[in-house]
Amino acid sequence: MAKQIDEYFNPWVKGISMYISSHIELAWKNPDLHRMMSNENPNPPSPKVMEAIMKFAEMSNRYPDQGLVVRSKIAEINGLEGPENVMLGNGSSEVFDNIFRCFLGTGEEVIQHTPCFGIYKLRCNILGGKLVSVPMVYKDNQLLYDPGSILESITEKTKIIVVANPNNPTGNFMDREHFVTIAETGVPFIVDEAYIEYSGLGKSQVDLVKKYKNVLVTRTLSKAYGLAGMRFGYVLGHQDVISQIAAALLPWNVSTISMWAGYAALEDTEGLRDRVEFNNREVAYIEGALSDIPGLVIFHSNANYILFDAGPTGKRGSDILEFALERGIIFRGETEKYGSDGWFRITIGTEEENRMAVSLLREYFGMG
Ligand SMILES: Cc1ncc(COP(=O)(O)O)c(C=O)c1O
């Protein structure tokens, strides 16, 4: 008898289901809801970016090239030699996938610091890898990086270490010296700088790629540049490493429109500055406006979201999400951790949305 289709699948992919963000689905189905859950930029693309989108939409009948112009621009912005130091991806999520596929085999390990962005785990799982989660340390109302434990978790099977800087959802940075120590191990080390522009490239670890071939710095235009729907990300690294990883790229992975929209956004330095200033002002506003709620732990953020632990107030994160949704705002839930079920995260919205969020939270905590 013929074998069943099930028997043909790689055993490690069986049972894994498609990743669907329920909160994003909810938002698209209900455009009236306020999206304060996915670390998107609340401001639409600038006129300069729109112009590029329209111009290259008219050439959608043509295949894209390898993106030398935008890759050169990215290299220049980051003080690297040239386009050979840059690989483009359909969002940085695809970049992680490409890197993982090049290094990770079944049963091999990826070390991540948790809580963190969920995609590393998904890409690891689909390759049959083992995810080693190193918890951050919750101390003095802060979630701290624990580089010592990351180093201690390295085994013969470790193929990748990934650290987001600043981290999602905690919003904080790891100290420079620890990047160097981890880089020194020689293990492929991804520094995910999805939110770096909110603090400026001065906080980037990109110079490490000049010294350490095993260091790869990933970025995205989904956040400060405000192009999440365009799907444009990239990785910076030594040219030998980039060319090897680029060999695993899906041809034409980044569309012509995304490439040129990305290029226009990178050129529009004023547009970036305005978005960053707006964001950082609003982060300060929200953190300040909620700081007198007794017991509410606010994690100071260097990005476009803020994490909260309402555990000490006796309230549950899931109830806060429900309360916000009843008022038309989607916040982001967080799993129970460190003995608290009071976690939730909000993404910076428009000026109006941020004031609505503050007012509903103050009401919820009896401070209205
Ligand atoms: C830390 C981190 N890295 C990467 C990304 C992915 O961005 P994209 O695939 O849109 O480039 C996100 C998105 O939320 C993130 O939080």
Side-chain angles (χ1 to χ4, degrees), residues 80 176 180-181 183-184 205-215 237-238:
L80 298 175
R176 164 74 176 183
V180 175
T181 322
E184 289 281 345
Q205 304 298 330
V206 66
D207 57 311
L208 291 181
V209 309
K210 293 183 192 160
K211 184 160 179 211
Y212 299 97
K213 266 187 149 178
N214 56 315
V215 174
H238 188 282

Side-chain angles (χ1 to χ4, degrees), residues 38-39 90-96 116-120 164-169 192-195 218-223 227-228 231-234 305 332 345:
S38 292
N39 304 351
N90 197 268
S92 57
S93 295
E94 190 193 42
V95 168
F96 301 125
C116 71
F117 181 47
I119 298 284
Y120 319 136
N165 198 53
N167 186 43
N168 171 13
D192 177 354
E193 296 189 339
Y195 301 92
T218 59
R219 301 266 183 77
T220 179
L221 266 60
S222 299
K223 309 301 177 184
L227 291 176
R231 313 305 302 130
F232 186 101
Y234 61 91
Y305 48 82
R332 184 64 165 269
R345 190 185 78 200

Side-chain angles (χ1 to χ4, degrees), residues 173 193 195-204 276 280 302:
F173 282 111
E193 296 189 339
Y195 301 92
I196 199 73
E197 292 85 3
Y198 291 112
S199 304
L201 295 193
K203 290 290 279 182
S204 170
V276 166
N280 296 352
N302 296 289

Side-chain angles (χ1 to χ4, degrees), residues 291-338:
S291 62
D292 59 342
I293 296 175
L296 179 67
V297 183
I298 305 174
F299 294 83
H300 170 62
S301 178
N302 296 289
N304 67 344
Y305 48 82
I306 306 173
L307 177 69
F308 299 88
D309 177 14
T313 70
K315 306 282 191 193
R316 291 194 319 188
S318 54
D319 291 338
I320 296 167
L321 254 62
E322 212 178 291
F323 185 79
L325 194 56
E326 279 164 15
R327 281 155 180 75
I329 304 188
I330 315 175
F331 286 169
R332 184 64 165 269
E334 286 280 333
T335 53
E336 191 172 330
K337 45 187 152 274
Y338 304 99

